[in-house]
Amino acid sequence: MQNLTPVPIKTSILHRYLPIILTITVGVAISLTAYLFVSEWEKEKIEASFHEAANDRNLALQRALATQLDLLHSFSAFFAAKQLNINKQEFSAFSQPFLQRYPDLQALNWIPRVQHDERAAFESQAQHDYSRYQIIELDSQESLVHAPQRREYFPFRYIEPAAGNEISAGFDVGSSPDYLNVLNQARDSGKVVAISHTTLVPDTANQHGFTVVLPIYQNGTDENSSLEQRREQLQGFVMGVYLLDNIFSKAMKDLEQKPIDIRVLEVKDNDEDLIFVYHGLINEDLFENHDPDELEKQVAASGLDYAKEFLIAGRTWLVKCMPAPDYPSLIGRGWQGLSVLVLGMLSTALLTVYFFSAMRHAYLMAEAANTANRAQSRFLANMSHQLRTPLNAIIGYSELLREEVEDLNEPLILQDVEKIYISGKYLLSLSDGILDLSKVKTGEMNLHSETCKLTHLIEEVAGIANLLVKKNNNKLVVNYPDDIGTMRTDVTRLHQILFVLLNNASDHTRQGEVTLTVSRVLHNSMEWIRFVVQDTSPGMTAEERQELLAALARIEANQGNTDEEEIRFGLAISAHFWRMMGGNIDINTELNKGTAYILNLPAHGNP
């Protein structure tokens, strides 16, 4: 060591720590890339979750409102069954179950259509139910007065609940131009139409709220009839009065609570009137520790909003949803990207420490065993063991990254990630080869048989081998039947054998074709799987073929080592493997036409 010059020392240090530098560089790059992708994916998930929840609330509001309005259609059938001949007791008996079952329905009224020439008779008949009944309206001082003469009237005839609403009896809804317009709209459409939130008559608390009217026709006339028929056959209207806040609040409480604020507005003449507000889950600590204006800016910066219109009862409704402050954390998101970054950096640090420890240990062993072949074998075995763990970590981490990239639908980045994965698998196979060599020399080699699908095995081999054959501008072709089935074997060793055969064929071929053909054959009442690796190399002479087969046979028989110049390292290791698997190999070759390596392995394991 005293005779070493500074230059070799620096070179040695650079070589020694190069894997550590590469580990840090690759680890940090993968961690940052994964962080960016997961953060973007997480953002999209948050947006999708918000819009899905907001849409659910919009639909719930629509369903709740439509369900309440559908109640009025029961009165169409009721009036038709009674042939429009209904008294106060019958109307009350039919209305009470609805009022009791649906507390949001505050009042039900029957508003008949009364022609002027029928007014006196109508008022006289109504006085049997209300002693002072007459058709009335509001004057300019908001006082109830006798309604003046006009062509037709639309007075309250039956009111439920009656208690407290007697003052409304006889009030002509059509006396107001706005209300008359709504009645005409319902008459002409044959559908439920809403009247804006208002007070129809002074001191009638039950007449507040969201008010809708349903036209009632005679002689089977409905919304499918002609306009003239609907106008001629109109008999009156059923009016329902609802508490809108109660309807919407109940609909929201039936849903899973989310940190989403909801506003319902009525769109009318390009104006928006606020009808309903509902606050979702909130982080109370957040409001105590932050300025409300700052939180409002945070919500606006999130870019999450929802606005959708719908049409019910002739009115246009606008539902707006906004996320509550700190929305991502309240729904259990917002930490995945940071977690991936921390995990990636931690894994990089652990791999760096592991590599440093492994490399330091390996070099110490190499220095101690540089003159002994046995010590060298132990060094190779230790190196392989040390490399397998970080390589498996890189392979596993790349698989996780590949799944994340697939969700983002980024094909170009997916190709790069798959290259990392395939290269890692190939490096792992080389590492296994080093370990296998030491085990072969010490007699510690064992097989681990398992049943595998041949289609999966072939696709895995082809995926990695495709990179190997391209180095000499060759093309890989794979042939096998779809029903090739399964085989029982040591999958890892079979991978190594096929990689070696394909790599060997590619090395001897330039700008040609390497073909892998797999088939199932029956020989001596036993099933075999035949793997044929065919290249378009210059081929071998008959003497070269015999020498190669003889060398492989000596290795299979464990008759000592073969010189490296006589047979390649990979083929030597592979020969041990197929012998242990109970297989055999043959070589067909012809000068200037290529070489075919024919490997036969038992389909059901070594008998």
Side-chain angles (χ1 to χ4, degrees):
M1 296 297 291
Q2 295 176 352
N3 295 327
L4 293 176
T5 63
V7 174
I9 292 175
K10 291 181 180 179
T11 303
S12 176
I13 291 175
L14 177 62
H15 287 171
R16 175 171 297 186
Y17 291 103
L18 183 59
I20 298 175
I21 295 172
L22 290 176
T23 299
I24 295 174
T25 303
V26 174
V28 171
I30 292 176
S31 299
L32 291 176
T33 302
Y35 167 73
L36 294 176
F37 279 116
V38 172
S39 296
E40 184 64 25
W41 166 82
E42 189 174 34
K43 180 182 177 181
E44 292 179 358
K45 288 291 185 181
I46 291 174
E47 291 178 355
S49 172
F50 171 79
H51 282 281
E52 181 181 1
N55 196 55
D56 288 343
R57 277 144 182 77
N58 176 36
L59 294 176
L61 293 173
Q62 293 186 49
R63 286 194 298 267
L65 195 55
T67 299
Q68 293 289 338
L69 299 184
D70 284 343
L71 300 178
L72 296 184
H73 289 284
S74 302
F75 283 85
S76 295
F78 173 62
F79 276 88
K82 293 291 184 176
Q83 297 181 350
L84 300 174
N85 185 19
I86 299 173
N87 58 39
K88 180 181 179 182
Q89 290 73 26
E90 290 174 332
F91 184 83
S92 176
F94 189 78
S95 301
Q96 285 302 319
F98 291 100
L99 294 170
Q100 295 171 4
R101 184 175 181 182
Y102 300 98
D104 302 326
L105 179 59
Q106 294 295 290
L108 286 167
N109 308 314
W110 166 235
I111 304 173
R113 179 187 188 184
V114 180
Q115 302 290 342
H116 177 69
D117 57 2
E118 301 171 346
R119 176 174 178 173
F122 173 80
E123 289 178 334
S124 175
Q125 182 184 12
Q127 287 171 2
H128 290 90
D129 298 319
Y130 303 96
S131 59
R132 297 182 179 181
Y133 187 94
Q134 61 177 331
I135 298 177
I136 56 178
E137 65 177 36
L138 290 173
D139 63 10
S140 58
Q141 283 76 38
E142 298 293 322
S143 299
L144 291 173
V145 297
H146 185 77
Q149 177 180 337
R150 44 181 165 263
R151 186 173 61 86
E152 59 184 5
Y153 311 89
F154 295 96
F156 286 127
R157 178 65 177 90
Y158 302 135
I159 305 173
E160 290 297 332
N165 288 303
E166 294 85 354
I167 191 174
S168 300
F171 178 77
D172 183 9
V173 179
S175 62
S176 167
D178 291 337
Y179 299 153
L180 181 60
N181 182 54
V182 173
L183 296 179
N184 290 337
Q185 182 182 350
R187 175 200 65 192
D188 293 345
S189 67
K191 298 179 181 179
V192 173
V193 178
I195 300 175
S196 298
H197 175 81
T198 186
T199 300
L200 296 177
V201 182
D203 301 324
T204 56
N206 285 335
Q207 298 295 314
H208 279 279
F210 176 61
T211 305
V212 295
V213 292
L214 173 69
I216 302 297
Y217 305 98
Q218 67 178 353
N219 299 328
T221 303
D222 57 21
E223 62 181 272
N224 296 318
S225 302
S226 67
L227 178 61
E228 291 73 15
Q229 287 178 316
R230 289 195 294 271
R231 289 180 174 180
E232 181 180 348
Q233 300 298 328
L234 178 70
Q235 294 300 301
F237 300 90
V238 174
M239 173 182 286
V241 181
Y242 297 89
L243 292 180
L244 199 58
D245 282 2
N246 288 4
I247 295 174
F248 286 163
S249 296
K250 183 178 179 181
M252 293 300 96
K253 290 177 181 178
D254 290 340
L255 294 175
E256 179 185 358
Q257 295 301 296
K258 297 277 188 179
I260 297 177
D261 295 337
I262 304 165
R263 289 174 173 80
V264 180
L265 304 98
E266 180 187 0
V267 180
K268 186 177 181 181
D269 299 329
N270 297 323
D271 290 331
E272 297 179 355
D273 295 331
L274 184 62
I275 302 297
F276 173 73
V277 177
Y278 186 84
H279 295 289
L281 293 176
I282 60 172
N283 185 344
E284 296 181 357
D285 294 336
L286 198 65
F287 281 93
E288 293 178 0
N289 300 323
H290 293 79
D291 181 51
D293 293 337
E294 179 184 343
L295 295 177
E296 195 169 320
K297 291 179 181 178
Q298 174 189 339
V299 171
S302 69
L304 298 177
D305 59 7
Y306 177 94
K308 197 166 186 179
E309 292 183 353
F310 64 90
L311 183 66
I312 286 184
R315 296 172 67 185
T316 301
W317 309 76
L318 176 61
V319 178
K320 290 186 176 181
C321 296
M322 293 290 290
D326 200 26
Y327 175 80
S329 63
L330 288 175
I331 64 172
R333 294 188 181 276
W335 54 268
Q336 288 92 336
L338 184 61
S339 299
V340 168
L341 179 62
V342 172
L343 180 61
M345 292 300 186
L346 180 60
S347 300
T348 300
L350 292 175
L351 284 173
T352 301
V353 173
Y354 200 90
F355 261 124
F356 179 80
S357 176
M359 296 298 294
R360 182 174 180 275
H361 184 61
Y363 276 108
L364 289 176
M365 290 187 63
E367 291 174 3
N370 58 358
T371 58
N373 186 57
R374 190 68 176 178
Q376 183 184 26
S377 298
R378 289 196 300 269
F379 164 72
L380 293 174
N382 184 70
M383 274 291 295
S384 180
H385 277 300
Q386 298 293 343
L387 290 173
R388 282 177 62 86
T389 300
L391 283 174
N392 280 327
I394 292 174
I395 292 170
Y397 196 77
S398 65
E399 287 177 335
L400 292 175
L401 184 58
R402 181 171 59 180
E403 294 177 359
E404 297 292 345
V405 173
E406 287 176 347
D407 289 340
L408 295 176
N409 193 21
E410 295 285 350
L412 295 179
I413 299 175
L414 181 61
Q415 291 178 4
D416 294 336
V417 174
E418 288 180 339
K419 287 179 181 179
I420 295 174
Y421 171 75
I422 291 172
S423 298
K425 293 284 286 185
Y426 181 64
L427 288 175
L428 184 61
S429 69
L430 293 180
S431 174
D432 290 338
I434 296 174
L435 178 62
D436 295 338
L437 176 62
S438 63
K439 288 184 177 181
V440 167
K441 289 184 177 181
T442 58
E444 299 175 355
M445 176 59 66
N446 295 311
L447 296 180
H448 302 282
S449 297
E450 61 181 299
T451 300
C452 66
K453 289 185 177 180
L454 282 168
T455 53
H456 292 175
L457 183 144
I458 296 168
E459 289 172 359
E460 291 176 357
V461 170
I464 298 175
N466 192 48
L467 295 176
L468 301 177
V469 301
K470 284 183 178 179
K471 62 185 178 182
N472 287 335
N473 295 322
N474 295 320
K475 177 183 177 183
L476 177 64
V477 178
V478 180
N479 299 317
Y480 61 93
D482 293 336
D483 59 347
I484 187 66
T486 63
M487 75 176 296
R488 184 168 182 79
T489 187
D490 188 322
V491 176
T492 301
R493 306 308 174 201
L494 181 52
H495 275 172
Q496 291 177 253
I497 295 173
L498 295 177
F499 289 154
V500 167
L501 293 178
L502 290 167
N503 190 47
N504 182 70
S506 178
D507 286 345
H508 290 87
T509 305
R510 296 290 186 275
Q511 297 181 348
E513 188 172 277
V514 176
T515 303
L516 172 61
T517 303
V518 184
S519 60
R520 184 180 292 268
V521 298
L522 188 66
H523 181 68
N524 294 334
S525 301
M526 181 176 175
E527 278 192 315
W528 297 78
I529 305 300
R530 177 168 292 172
F531 302 87
V532 179
V533 177
Q534 173 77 52
D535 60 39
T536 56
S537 67
M540 294 184 286
T541 64
E543 291 77 16
E544 291 173 338
R545 172 183 177 276
Q546 290 298 328
E547 289 176 1
L548 180 56
L549 286 174
L552 292 173
R554 288 195 298 273
I555 294 175
E556 292 178 13
N558 281 325
Q559 294 179 356
N561 294 331
T562 302
D563 186 74
E564 184 176 356
E565 296 181 358
E566 182 180 7
I567 188 170
R568 301 183 64 165
F569 167 78
L571 284 175
I573 296 296
S574 298
H576 283 284
F577 290 159
W578 69 59
R579 176 190 59 82
M580 296 176 67
M581 294 177 179
N584 59 76
I585 196 168
D586 195 8
I587 301 174
N588 289 340
T589 184
E590 187 174 353
L591 281 176
N592 301 320
K593 290 188 177 181
T595 301
Y597 295 84
I598 304 170
L599 174 66
N600 296 298
L601 294 175
H604 305 292
N606 194 356

